[in-house]
Amino acid sequence: MNTRGTRRVIAALGLAVTGVALVACGNQTAAGEAPSSTPTPSASAPSTTVLPPKPSTQPPTEAPTATATPTSGPTSKPVPTPSSSPSKPVVQRLANAMLLTGKEVAAADPKRGWNARPGTDDPICGKGATQGNGVQGRLVRAFTNDLDATGAQFLTRYQSPAAAKAAYEQIVATIKSCKATAPDKNRARKLTENRTLALGDATAILRWYDYPLKSDQGSEDSGFPYAVTRKGTVVSVVAFGEMGKGIAPAHWEALARKAAAKLP
């Protein structure tokens, strides 16, 4: 290569080096200067304009409202729990206050000298005439006029009113038949009273009358009145016996009413 050509090549290389140095100096940041945070928009990027949303032409839709289902809260009054066990009948305990007193007997049949006394008297128609089956309790009080008459009141208690009713009917049937202690061949017996009174749940008055036959002219008459009352689970039997005609029917009814009134 000649000298002229060599000079052209060196000149071209010098220009190129100078351009590279300029580019490097333009990319450097001065010491202590923060780099710019604002980006330079590109000339080639298209600009986009954000428009506000258009109002809707449709009517607004109402959001569904949740319907609260009312619940029943606890009541202030407790709900009674039905009992699974059947109800039991009321128990009527026997007490001495249910028995007639000597003064009450004397008031019902005055001027006879009646009073209460220890012990008991079995009536002429036997034990079956004073109590039924299934006795739950028993009380007895005896009476006398200290001459020719005695008697007693028998109280018996049963498990239920139905059992007391069965005992009452059994007692009345026994008194009506009165097969116990039948009179001998010289005497006879007949039922002179057989009626009911509206006392308690049921009351029956029955009276047996014993009398001598012609074959026994020396014997006396005898009277055996009964008053049977049922009330609830209790049965009362008042049974007397005496020589002669016995206590008058009107006085006996007064005594029966008094005995029935003392039952609970």
Side-chain angles (χ1 to χ4, degrees):
M1 182 179 296
N2 54 26
T3 304
R4 188 175 180 178
T6 302
R7 290 176 179 174
R8 288 179 179 176
V9 170
I10 292 171
L13 289 172
L15 290 172
V17 171
T18 302
V20 171
L22 289 173
V23 170
C25 290
N27 289 338
Q28 288 181 355
T29 302
E33 182 182 357
S36 175
S37 60
T38 304
T40 303
S42 174
S44 62
S47 60
T48 303
T49 303
V50 180
L51 298 177
K54 294 182 180 181
S56 176
T57 59
Q58 298 295 328
T61 304
E62 184 177 354
T65 304
T67 304
T69 303
T71 58
S72 59
T75 59
S76 58
K77 296 181 179 180
V79 179
T81 304
S83 176
S84 58
S85 60
S87 58
K88 297 180 180 180
V90 177
V91 177
Q92 294 173 295
R93 298 292 182 185
L94 298 182
N96 288 332
M98 301 178 190
L99 292 166
L100 291 167
T101 65
K103 290 182 179 180
E104 289 170 334
V105 175
D109 188 31
K111 300 179 180 179
R112 298 286 307 278
W114 290 102
N115 56 74
R117 68 177 181 85
T120 61
D121 274 349
D122 291 330
I124 190 173
C125 296
K127 186 177 180 180
T130 63
Q131 66 182 57
N133 297 324
V135 174
Q136 301 288 304
R138 189 172 186 264
L139 281 179
V140 182
R141 179 172 286 162
F143 308 96
T144 184
N145 68 352
D146 291 326
L147 292 174
D148 56 359
T150 59
Q153 182 182 11
F154 304 83
L155 290 182
T156 48
R157 178 176 59 84
Y158 301 86
Q159 187 175 8
S160 65
K165 182 176 183 293
Y168 169 85
E169 293 173 351
Q170 177 184 338
I171 292 168
V172 171
T174 300
I175 296 172
K176 285 182 177 180
S177 62
C178 203
K179 296 177 180 178
T181 63
D184 59 30
K185 61 181 181 179
N186 294 321
R187 298 180 65 84
R189 179 182 297 165
K190 63 180 179 180
L191 193 65
T192 58
E193 277 192 276
N194 181 10
R195 56 196 178 96
T196 59
L197 301 175
L199 302 174
D201 296 327
T203 295
I205 289 182
L206 305 109
R207 182 191 298 263
W208 282 105
Y209 172 57
D210 279 15
Y211 57 97
L213 298 175
K214 293 182 178 180
S215 58
D216 188 7
Q217 296 296 328
S219 297
E220 296 187 35
D221 300 343
S222 300
F224 305 98
Y226 283 83
V228 187
T229 298
R230 171 177 64 88
K231 189 174 181 182
T233 60
V234 177
V235 176
S236 165
V237 179
V238 184
F240 277 30
E242 60 182 300
M243 303 297 292
K245 302 294 183 182
I247 185 172
H251 292 173
W252 186 251
E253 181 173 325
L255 194 60
R257 291 184 178 278
K258 188 66 178 178
K262 294 175 74 69
L263 298 183

